[in-house]
Amino acid sequence: MPLDPYVVDLLAKARSLGRPPLRRLTPAEARAFVDADTAAKPRGPDLFAVEAVEVPGPAGPLRLRIYRPAAGVRPAVLYLHGGGFVFCDLDSHDGICRLLAARSGRTVVAVDYRLAPEHPFPAAADDGLAVLRLMAERADAFAIDPARIVVAGDSAGGNLAAVTALRARDEGGPPIEGQILAYPVTASYDAGFESYRIFAEGFGLTASDMVWFWDHYADARGRAHPHAAPFLATSLAGLPPAFVFTAEYDVLRDEGEAYARRLLEAGVLTRFERVRALHHGFLHLVDHPPAAAVFDAMADWLAGLER
């Protein structure tokens, strides 16, 4: 299917800004551009409550933002934002978390995990697992059902959600109800997936961007560890049900789809969807109907876990 005309226009506008590629930027310079872009992103719907809290983490306090669609105890989604492990934060993904909470009826807990290169692998993964355990242990304080926690994330956050599910399986829990992996990073840039060649340039996220991200996040030894590249896990058996979706025009498309196949082959109840005509990062387009429809799909999948 041809690239969505709305996305074509967005990509043209981005090119017109004349920004240098990531490989020519420092992390601080890249974050400044991301911060500027965040101010222009759609805000998402109003909710019953949005709360900022601070909790203890593995290496100091962690900021969380809790999105409550309604009063009372709710099932929950632990959300880990994308950004290549190097940038983005609670603000950059505020619209995504708002719409996910509104459409699903679940309380969404977003994590401001530590970023690379200041905090390389496995810092972000450690933070994700720590917050999952805290949510389960202090469910009353979060006003959530500890038996109904789903882990979710987009791009690098999809990686962290998958890794959190793996580590919870292997490191004593807590149990997870499900996992949502949105166009996830599941393997290193040198894994040989064809989409790296097909969509190397011209569709937003580039192949060279992924090299830049990985080089800041993990060294060669780290990139070979399944807690950095979950596709390398020896077995995916025993993981919670998964909803994996990819974007048709995305360097990460093939590795996300390969991970979904491995989940299915391991006997994990898995729903997979390739979202046609859209590119990497489309969840941020919360006001664009084809992207917003994916939030409905996530809500339907989450509702199915409850039946």
Side-chain angles (χ1 to χ4, degrees):
M1 182 178 291
L3 189 61
D4 187 310
Y6 181 77
V7 174
V8 171
D9 184 55
L10 285 177
L11 292 172
K13 288 178 179 176
R15 286 192 294 271
S16 72
L17 296 175
R19 292 176 178 173
L22 280 182
R23 64 180 179 272
R24 298 180 185 169
L25 298 176
T26 67
E29 290 168 336
R31 289 168 188 160
F33 284 131
V34 170
D35 290 345
D37 292 340
T38 294
K41 286 178 179 174
R43 179 174 179 272
D46 290 331
L47 298 170
F48 173 77
V50 178
E51 305 167 10
V53 302
E54 193 173 87
V55 299
L62 289 173
R63 294 191 308 134
L64 309 179
R65 190 173 292 171
I66 303 175
Y67 299 82
R68 300 191 187 280
V73 175
R74 313 291 300 175
V77 175
L78 167 61
Y79 197 88
L80 297 152
H81 67 76
F85 312 104
V86 176
F87 49 61
C88 291
D89 55 20
L90 298 177
D91 291 335
S92 64
H93 284 62
D94 184 71
I96 290 174
C97 292
R98 284 176 178 273
L99 189 55
L100 180 57
R103 295 286 175 91
S104 70
R106 287 187 174 232
T107 292
V108 174
V109 179
V111 185
D112 194 24
Y113 58 82
R114 289 172 290 164
L115 298 175
E118 296 88 349
H119 306 283
F121 170 77
D126 288 346
D127 290 349
L129 182 62
V131 174
L132 171 69
R133 288 175 168 163
L134 192 70
M135 290 170 64
E137 293 165 2
R138 302 186 185 178
D140 289 346
F142 282 92
I144 62 171
D145 182 343
R148 304 275 303 285
I149 301 174
V150 167
V151 295
D154 63 287
S155 192
N159 170 289
L160 296 174
V163 169
T164 300
L166 281 169
R167 293 185 65 182
R169 180 196 66 180
D170 297 339
E171 299 176 26
I176 297 172
E177 188 183 20
Q179 52 182 325
I180 297 175
L181 312 180
Y183 35 83
V185 178
T186 67
S188 177
Y189 63 81
D190 52 2
F193 287 104
E194 184 69 5
S195 55
Y196 260 74
R197 182 189 64 80
I198 300 171
F199 306 113
E201 297 282 345
F203 300 94
L205 180 69
T206 70
S208 67
D209 290 344
M210 288 305 304
V211 175
W212 186 88
F213 286 133
W214 273 110
D215 284 350
H216 283 96
Y217 181 55
D219 60 18
R221 182 177 180 182
R223 293 195 299 272
H225 196 292
H227 293 169
F231 186 77
L232 299 178
T234 302
S235 173
L236 303 184
L239 289 172
F243 181 14
V244 183
F245 57 91
T246 61
E248 183 176 7
Y249 293 86
D250 183 4
V251 294
L252 302 183
R253 185 190 70 188
D254 291 357
E255 66 192 73
E257 296 179 5
Y259 195 74
R261 287 193 295 272
R262 284 204 60 206
L263 286 167
L264 286 165
E265 291 165 359
V268 177
L269 185 63
T270 302
R271 173 176 172 178
F272 164 72
E273 181 177 350
R274 177 188 289 183
V275 182
R276 303 291 180 177
L278 296 182
H279 71 327
H280 187 84
F282 70 77
L283 284 184
H284 288 287
L285 309 179
V286 297
D287 290 340
H288 186 46
V294 179
F295 287 87
D296 290 330
M298 287 190 278
D300 289 344
W301 183 82
L302 288 166
L305 295 178
E306 302 169 15
R307 291 193 286 268

